[in-house]
Amino acid sequence: MDLPKVKGKLEKDYPLKTLNTWKTGGRAEMVFWPQNMNELTEMVIWSKIQHKPLLFLGHGSNVLLPDKGFPGTVIVTTQLNGARWENEQVWTEAGYSLMRLAREAAERNCSGLEFACGIPGTVGAAIAINAGAYGKEIGELVRNVKVLTSEGEIKTLDRKEISFRYRKSSLQENNWIILESSLRLTAAEDGTAIKAKMKEFMAKRKETQPLEYPNAGSVFRNPQGDSAGRLIEQAGWKGKCVGDAQVSEKHANFIVNRGNAKSENILQLIQDIQADILMKYGVKLETEIRMITG
Ligand SMILES: Cc1cc2nc3c(=O)[nH]c(=O)nc-3n(C[C@H](O)[C@H](O)[C@H](O)COP(=O)(O)OP(=O)(O)OC[C@H]3O[C@@H](n4cnc5c(N)ncnc54)[C@H](O)[C@@H]3O)c2cc1C
């Protein structure tokens, strides 16, 4: 069966390291950037008929991609970036930048997305994994989500039909792809307080996070009532390396790529930390990042 005729960029044998913020991984058999929802669904159908594994990516800021590459189709949503505002409600396509949306919300005097101003992902992925910071989560703002189910059906779900928990959603558990969503923000008198909050959050991030090196944000979820970073630091992991992968000297829950790290180096550090924290404190650390296997 011929590949569908599409306008979106299509690349074969493409380096995964250009598609994620850790800058690691092998090559993908094929990468596709759909220009619209029809192209996306056509490529999903084509890949299923060809029995090709499928991987959806936004900005690749929460994934560890395999060094051996991905033997199938990677669909990158970043060209699906339409948005429409109606008072304090905003509708976006899956690939819209969350940081851009947070800035636009502030310009429109809409409150609710201040927490998201330093999260370098897409809105679609943020909803799939219920991204959050500073005590807020995107799930709290969701009104509707249009999804592509694993059976190839397109459905619009109401907020009540979706469950959001700490960095988890029923959408991702069902392997459903987010196509579009609408968020409800809160109208504010003026944007000054919103912008001040965002400035404060960005300053905090710059001070505490190793933004000067490729990374994927927090590697581990916080265990109930504790902080993963605190446990890892206390166990003496700050600065430890495997190859060019290093537990950040600034924030122990970040692993940075100091140059030429491979995904296997990062994975080794993750597994060594998990074993050590279990042995020392009896705590099983779960990863927040998504480990993609080829
Ligand atoms: C410096 C830094 C700081 C960060 N700070 C935070 C933070 O404060 N809070 C936080 O929650 N996260 C944080 N992150 C992690 C990350 O930015 C967020 O989780 C973000 O929402 C991921 O978006 P993405 O587009 O990069 O997703 P990707 O990494 O591309 O994908 C993540 C997962 O979602 C799936 N996915 C992608 N698109 C879709 C879709 N349309 N439908 C369904 N599934 C999809 C992917 O298959 C993958 O499993 C940080 C990352 C970095 C690098």
Side-chain angles (χ1 to χ4, degrees):
M1 186 187 174
D2 290 341
L3 269 167
K5 294 220 172 343
V6 287
K7 289 204 185 114
K9 186 164 87 146
L10 188 66
E11 297 276 352
K12 292 194 175 152
D13 189 26
Y14 194 81
L16 287 170
K17 58 173 67 170
T18 61
L19 301 178
N20 73 93
T21 57
W22 251 327
K23 308 271 175 241
T24 62
R27 301 183 82 84
E29 186 179 325
M30 190 165 82
V31 181
F32 178 51
W33 289 259
Q35 294 284 312
N36 55 52
M37 296 303 165
N38 280 346
E39 289 195 354
L40 180 150
T41 40
E42 274 187 57
M43 193 55 83
V44 169
I45 293 166
W46 180 85
S47 300
K48 288 206 165 166
I49 292 172
Q50 300 293 315
H51 302 290
K52 298 273 184 208
L54 258 174
L55 170 63
F56 272 81
L57 286 181
H59 287 152
S61 62
N62 201 36
V63 283
L64 183 62
L65 300 178
D67 291 324
K68 66 177 196 288
F70 188 77
T73 314
V74 179
I75 297 186
V76 183
T77 62
T78 49
Q79 297 297 307
L80 301 170
N81 56 9
R84 196 177 59 242
W85 284 87
E86 220 178 295
N87 302 320
E88 58 274 7
Q89 191 150 326
V90 59
W91 163 92
T92 54
E93 289 185 319
Y96 206 82
S97 155
L98 185 60
M99 282 163 78
R100 179 177 169 194
L101 193 66
R103 283 194 303 271
E104 288 171 355
E107 287 305 326
R108 287 169 176 272
N109 301 341
C110 288
S111 172
L113 274 174
E114 293 85 331
F115 76 90
C117 61
I119 303 182
T122 54
V123 175
I127 292 176
I129 64 150
N130 192 21
Y134 308 114
K136 297 277 178 203
E137 295 174 336
I138 197 160
E140 296 164 26
L141 306 170
V142 167
R143 303 284 299 165
N144 301 101
V145 183
K146 191 192 259 190
V147 295
L148 178 67
T149 69
S150 16
E151 292 75 40
E153 194 189 344
I154 292 179
K155 288 206 230 193
T156 300
L157 305 170
D158 191 75
R159 168 70 186 83
K160 292 193 288 288
E161 299 171 85
I162 310 166
S163 70
F164 290 105
R165 280 163 290 127
Y166 172 53
R167 302 295 174 272
K168 282 186 182 163
S169 79
S170 51
L171 302 165
Q172 188 159 62
E173 280 155 5
N174 287 328
N175 275 326
W176 290 355
I177 299 306
I178 287 125
L179 303 176
E180 300 170 2
S181 59
S182 67
L183 305 180
R184 161 84 42 96
L185 307 180
T186 308
E189 287 275 295
D190 74 86
T192 318
I194 299 172
K195 286 179 191 161
K197 193 91 262 117
M198 285 167 61
K199 213 166 152 196
E200 181 195 323
F201 288 155
M202 285 311 288
K204 209 179 262 182
R205 278 182 191 268
K206 277 199 190 115
E207 196 189 311
T208 57
Q209 299 183 354
L211 303 179
E212 60 281 22
Y213 292 109
N215 71 80
S218 296
V219 173
F220 299 100
R221 293 164 199 270
N222 286 324
Q224 188 100 40
D226 207 338
S227 134
R230 190 194 71 79
L231 289 173
I232 299 165
E233 181 171 354
Q234 191 176 297
W237 280 93
K238 263 190 168 175
K240 293 265 166 69
C241 294
V242 173
D244 266 354
Q246 183 185 42
V247 178
S248 165
E249 285 161 343
K250 215 167 174 183
H251 191 316
N253 199 13
F254 279 57
I255 293 178
V256 296
N257 180 351
R258 296 289 303 247
N260 290 309
K262 293 193 171 314
S263 292
E264 67 177 24
N265 302 143
I266 295 171
L267 184 61
Q268 188 66 57
L269 264 182
I270 290 174
Q271 290 171 342
D272 291 352
I273 290 170
Q274 282 173 323
D276 192 47
I277 299 297
L278 185 60
M279 187 187 70
K280 289 190 171 129
Y281 310 115
V283 175
K284 210 170 163 198
L285 285 182
E286 266 185 66
T287 54
E288 181 165 325
I289 52 121
R290 279 22 186 199
M291 306 229 226
I292 310 293
T293 47

